[in-house]
């Protein structure tokens, strides 16, 4: 597989590759014509190729300067669930210790609107964010008031397990066009096993909450995320069927991350990367079969990668960005005012590691926070185009730097890529997606639609 | 104490120092040189078996290679790295605008 600087790729038979490398591929060969069309080669008939490639490169990096669109407000660490893989939540009634105050929220909003991005999305997270719903209401009203002067595209998301949701809360969401992101790990037995809460009814609460959100806000105003635990590994079809049963049009098959309680409770090491890849591939095959049978359904991680492979625009997914999306695409204002460049890095901080702590909203200015060593150093050190193995990897354009993951697993922002599970996992997925497309024209057409979100 | 030798034609003293620093919790390194080589004497903090020493020497050699490549590629790609990172921060108030 050959790829160019913007991630367009071309599969060549080995003999053709050698011939191309020796400048001996005939100009009338169909692969030669393809390579020329994608600016892999320059000859007398395409002198405009460098300009075309630079336009594509500019397009690819255009979103990068759209500095910090996603602003995550951790309004409370409190939660009534006790999920073993959860990174941060506290089972506590102590609002003073674990809830964000209006003072922290006000200052975080000031910083939010200093971001040059014209698009500002404020996401409320926890703990269980709805346990501090009064503060969510305060932040939404204040943000809209500030936005009257600056007129940005402002949106809101509440990440919640939906157990505490009420009709009144959703009426407020409707009034302010707030969308909901929730958790659904699979069928009842699996979901309730993964997500214990008093009453052992997390699944029932989530499903009832999803129904209520759709009734009040509309069908497309709720999305769901799943986390793969050891108990999920043999259940991928059940999990996908559960999403279809609940009228979702896709699923994000996520692996566990090496942060917080997932490390402490050993859930992160409960399965290997290989085992998760088997789970992922089985799930993706099943989704393709469903599409062939006329059931439109997507896998969102594949959609993100395919968008990088098959279009010139970058979806801006934090884990798959270079430079890393930390601080650039997303920023986290923690309940206590500390600022972190990603959700994962605040999880490290909750476990006592403040390597990525950029400052505190009550003590530091925007300039101090965004020029802090905690942000700039990992961004620079993890830059993949300067990294051994990444710099000449054909998949580099599809991949990302993810210094938080590499720091969490090896105490090194860059890490040695042959030892990196992140590298192994993503390279395996890239190869798998390309093989599927090359082997089956139907899959190629399907993936093209996924990439273009059509 | 164990000696590990690197050819001067392939590695710089900075690379060896960076690699040595990564193992500061396991051993300290004493550096010296001959006409053709750099000699690293690894002095272990605690008593180690022959197998454990061999494994650490292997890790140290890998680390030297990794650090060497990091340095070289970092230098080669400095213009593109600076350009892309500068572009990322270009609209913020961190960059003075005229």
């Amino acid at each position: 597989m050959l790829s160019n600087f913007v991630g367009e790729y071309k599969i060549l038979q080995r003999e053709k590759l050698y011939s191309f490398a020796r400048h001996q591929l005939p100009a009338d060969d169909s692969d030669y014509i393809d390579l020329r069309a994608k600016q892999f080669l320059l000859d007398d008939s395409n002198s405009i190729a460098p300009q075309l490639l630079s336009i594509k490169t500019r397009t690819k990096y255009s979103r990068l300067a759209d500095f910090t669109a996603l602003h995550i407000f951790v309004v409370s660490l409190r939660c009534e669930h006790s999920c073993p893989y959860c990174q941060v939540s506290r089972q506590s009634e102590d609002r003073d210790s674990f809830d964000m105050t209006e003072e922290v929220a006000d200052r975080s909003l000031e910083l939010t609107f200093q971001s040059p991005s014209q698009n500002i999305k404020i996401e409320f997270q926890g703990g269980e964010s709805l346990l501090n719903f009064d503060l969510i209401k305060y932040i939404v009203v204040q943000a809209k008031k500030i936005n009257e002067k600056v007129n940005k595209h402002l949106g809101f998301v509440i990440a919640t397990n939906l157990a505490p949701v009420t009709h009144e809360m959703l009426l407020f969401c409707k009034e302010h066009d707030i969308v909901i992101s929730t958790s659904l790990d699979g069928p009842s037995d699996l979901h309730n096993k993964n997500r214990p809460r008093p009453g052992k009814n997390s699944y029932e609460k989530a499903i009832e909450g999803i129904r209520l959100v759709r009734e009040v806000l509309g069908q497309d105003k709720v999305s769901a995320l799943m986390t793969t635990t050891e108990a999920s590994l043999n259940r991928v079809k059940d999990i996908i069927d559960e999403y279809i049963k609940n009228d979702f049009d896709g699923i994000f098959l996520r692996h566990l991350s090496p942060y917080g309680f997932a490390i402490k409770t050993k859930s992160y090491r409960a399965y290997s990367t290989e085992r998760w890849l088997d789970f992922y591939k089985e799930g993706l095959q099943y989704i393709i079969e469903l599409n062939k049978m006329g059931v439109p359904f997507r896998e969102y991680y594949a959609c993100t990668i395919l968008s990088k492979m098959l279009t010139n625009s970058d979806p801006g997914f934090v884990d798959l960005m270079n430079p890393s999306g930390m601080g650039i695409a997303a920023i986290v204002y923690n309940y206590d005012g500390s600022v972190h460049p990603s959700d994962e890095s605040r999880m490290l901080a909750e476990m006592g590691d403040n390597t990525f702590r950029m400052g505190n909203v009550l003590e530091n200015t925007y300039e101090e926070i965004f020029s802090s060593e905690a942000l700039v150093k990992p961004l620079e050190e993890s830059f993949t185009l300067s990294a051994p193995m990444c710099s000449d990897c054909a998949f580099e354009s599809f991949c990302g730097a993810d210094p938080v993951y590499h720091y969490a697993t090896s105490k090194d922002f860059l890490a040695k890529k042959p030892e990196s599970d992140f590298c192994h996992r993503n390279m395996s997925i890239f190869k798998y997606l390309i093989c599927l497309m090359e082997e089956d024209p139907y899959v190629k057409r399907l993936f093209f639609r996924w990439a273009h979100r059509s | 104490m164990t000696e590990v030798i690197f050819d001067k034609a392939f590695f710089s003293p900075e690379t060896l120092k960076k690699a040595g620093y990564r193992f500061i919790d396991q051993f300290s390194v004493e550096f010296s040189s001959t006409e053709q080589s750099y000699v690293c004497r690894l002095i272990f903090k605690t008593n180690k078996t022959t197998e454990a020493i061999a494994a650490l020497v292997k890790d140290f050699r890998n680390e030297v290679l990794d650090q060497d490549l990091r340095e070289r590629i970092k230098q080669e790609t400095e213009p593109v790295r600076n350009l892309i990172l500068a572009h990322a921060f270009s609209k913020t108030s961190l960059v003075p605008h005229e």
Side-chain angles (χ1 to χ4, degrees):
Chain A
M1 191 199 98
L2 302 180
S3 67
N4 65 16
F5 200 60
V6 292
E8 291 170 321
Y9 77 90
K10 170 83 185 141
I11 306 287
L12 275 187
Q13 294 302 315
R14 198 167 288 272
E15 306 76 50
K16 290 271 186 84
L17 174 64
Y18 293 151
S19 167
F20 172 52
R22 289 193 211 101
H23 299 263
Q24 290 169 348
L25 193 62
D28 57 355
D29 188 292
S30 62
D31 284 325
Y32 182 100
I33 294 163
D34 242 16
L35 288 164
R36 185 170 58 197
K38 289 178 176 170
Q39 295 91 42
F40 282 96
L41 68 83
L42 185 63
D43 65 13
D44 292 341
S45 66
N46 73 334
S47 56
I48 199 171
Q51 285 92 324
L52 286 173
L53 197 54
S54 57
I55 289 168
K56 289 178 185 174
T57 306
R58 271 203 296 276
T59 307
K60 179 187 165 186
Y61 285 105
S62 60
R63 279 186 72 166
L64 198 54
D66 192 20
F67 200 88
T68 327
L70 177 61
H71 295 259
I72 296 171
F73 283 60
V74 181
V75 291
S76 177
L77 271 200
R78 293 181 296 123
C79 186
E80 19 59 85
H81 277 64
S82 52
C83 311
Y85 58 67
C86 174
Q87 283 93 355
V88 290
S89 299
R90 298 285 195 284
Q91 286 186 299
S92 167
E93 296 300 316
D94 186 356
R95 298 183 75 104
D96 290 341
S97 298
F98 297 118
D99 281 12
M100 184 182 270
T101 62
E102 286 188 4
E103 186 190 15
V104 168
D106 282 336
R107 181 65 190 132
S108 302
L109 280 172
E110 277 178 42
L111 296 170
T112 298
F113 283 94
Q114 278 182 266
S115 292
S117 176
Q118 268 308 304
N119 302 298
I120 298 286
K121 183 176 280 181
I122 294 178
E123 181 172 312
F124 300 105
Q125 283 203 13
E128 169 46 47
S129 57
L130 292 183
L131 294 182
N132 198 5
F133 191 67
D134 284 343
L135 189 75
I136 291 179
K137 288 199 286 187
Y138 176 80
I139 292 170
V140 169
V141 172
Q142 290 302 112
K144 289 180 96 169
K145 204 181 281 180
I146 298 170
N147 199 42
E148 282 172 12
K149 293 176 195 148
V150 291
N151 203 24
K152 300 199 180 211
H153 299 116
L154 179 62
F156 301 98
V157 183
I158 297 177
T160 167
N161 60 43
L162 284 174
V165 76
T166 64
H167 194 258
E168 288 68 35
M169 287 176 180
L170 291 173
L171 288 177
F172 178 85
C173 294
K174 188 178 176 69
E175 185 187 345
H176 296 281
D177 203 15
I178 301 169
V179 298
I180 304 294
S181 170
T182 194
S183 297
L184 182 60
D185 278 6
S188 170
D189 65 314
L190 180 61
H191 182 100
N192 284 337
K193 185 177 180 187
N194 281 354
R195 304 178 61 79
R197 78 180 295 277
K200 298 177 180 169
N201 59 352
S202 176
Y203 173 84
E204 289 71 20
K205 289 273 183 189
I207 296 299
E208 173 54 20
I210 290 166
R211 189 199 62 75
L212 196 59
V213 172
R214 286 177 171 155
E215 184 184 300
V216 180
L217 302 184
Q219 180 70 17
D220 60 341
K221 299 296 182 187
V222 61
S223 60
L225 278 174
M226 60 80 62
T227 300
T228 310
T229 64
E230 194 181 11
S232 318
L233 292 173
N234 295 320
R235 306 281 303 272
V236 71
K237 289 182 181 175
D238 294 344
I239 296 167
I240 292 165
D241 287 343
E242 182 67 32
Y243 271 66
I244 292 171
K245 188 177 101 183
N246 286 289
D247 292 325
F248 289 107
D249 57 7
I251 191 168
F252 182 0
L253 295 172
R254 292 197 308 168
H255 60 91
L256 263 177
S257 301
Y259 310 109
F261 296 152
I263 290 275
K264 217 175 186 177
T265 58
K266 298 191 169 61
S267 14
Y268 171 64
R269 281 287 165 210
Y271 56 85
S272 66
T273 299
E274 288 304 333
R275 187 62 192 90
W276 181 83
L277 282 166
D278 290 343
F279 166 87
Y280 182 82
K281 289 175 183 177
E282 186 189 351
L284 194 57
Q285 283 286 3
Y286 183 53
I287 290 169
I288 291 168
E289 291 308 314
L290 286 169
N291 277 277
K292 283 183 175 174
M293 290 188 295
V295 181
F297 195 78
R298 294 168 191 226
E299 199 290 307
Y300 294 130
Y301 195 56
C303 292
T304 301
I305 294 166
L306 290 165
S307 159
K308 288 166 80 84
M309 282 180 176
L310 303 173
T311 78
N312 289 142
S313 64
D314 192 296
F317 182 67
V318 175
D319 295 4
L320 294 179
M321 282 176 70
N322 180 58
S324 161
M326 55 178 266
I328 294 175
I331 191 82
V332 179
Y333 308 103
N334 212 356
Y335 68 103
D336 59 358
S338 58
V339 184
H340 305 272
S342 71
D343 209 23
E344 290 75 14
S345 52
R346 70 125 171 166
M347 292 162 188
L348 281 182
E350 289 302 333
M351 301 304 285
D353 187 332
N354 283 307
T355 302
F356 294 95
R357 187 180 181 276
M358 297 159 67
N360 190 292
V361 298
L362 301 177
E363 295 159 12
N364 301 105
T365 64
Y366 180 87
E367 286 73 18
E368 285 168 347
I369 289 170
F370 281 90
S371 62
S372 73
E373 274 285 287
L375 175 64
V376 177
K377 195 175 174 199
L379 280 178
E380 192 176 3
E381 285 196 9
S382 66
F383 192 76
T384 55
L385 288 169
S386 299
M389 209 162 115
C390 299
S391 64
D392 48 14
C393 176
F395 302 122
E396 191 278 335
S397 290
F398 317 141
C399 203
D402 209 343
V404 184
Y405 174 91
H406 287 109
Y407 177 81
T409 50
S410 64
K411 297 281 176 243
D412 178 356
F413 301 133
L414 183 57
K416 294 185 190 71
K417 302 305 178 186
E419 296 171 355
S420 162
D421 276 348
F422 175 91
C423 176
H424 176 51
R425 185 177 67 244
N426 281 308
M427 286 235 271
S428 301
I429 296 176
F430 301 149
K431 285 178 194 170
Y432 188 62
L433 293 177
I434 289 169
C435 286
L436 289 174
M437 281 194 281
E438 292 301 311
E439 285 164 6
D440 186 342
Y442 173 85
V443 174
K444 198 165 198 169
R445 289 196 300 277
L446 178 72
F447 282 6
F448 191 82
R449 289 204 302 275
W450 287 8
H452 289 83
R453 298 175 196 284
S454 57
Chain B
M1 191 166 69
T2 302
E3 273 191 5
V4 190
I5 295 167
F6 295 92
D7 192 320
K8 277 182 167 176
F10 299 104
F11 300 101
S12 71
E14 286 69 32
T15 297
L16 300 178
K17 284 183 217 168
K18 277 188 181 175
Y21 185 79
R22 291 283 179 111
F23 289 90
I24 222 160
D25 58 332
Q26 309 255 27
F27 54 77
S28 53
V29 187
E30 208 174 84
F31 299 98
S32 61
S33 64
T34 65
E35 200 172 317
Q36 291 191 330
S37 309
Y38 292 115
V39 181
C40 301
R41 288 187 191 85
L42 314 188
I43 303 154
F44 297 96
K45 281 191 159 180
T46 53
N47 285 335
K48 300 240 183 278
T49 61
T50 313
E51 291 77 24
I53 289 173
L56 277 170
V57 167
K58 198 174 117 203
D59 288 347
F60 179 59
R61 285 192 179 279
N62 286 342
E63 187 66 38
V64 169
L65 176 64
D66 184 57
Q67 290 296 337
D68 177 68
L69 285 173
R70 283 190 193 199
E71 199 53 41
R72 282 168 200 259
I73 299 169
K74 205 172 172 184
Q75 279 171 18
E76 284 169 13
T77 56
E78 189 175 2
V80 72
R81 185 175 64 254
N82 286 345
L83 180 69
I84 293 172
L85 284 170
H87 175 60
F89 283 83
S90 61
K91 292 184 185 168
T92 68
S93 54
L94 307 173
V95 180
H97 294 95
E98 291 186 3

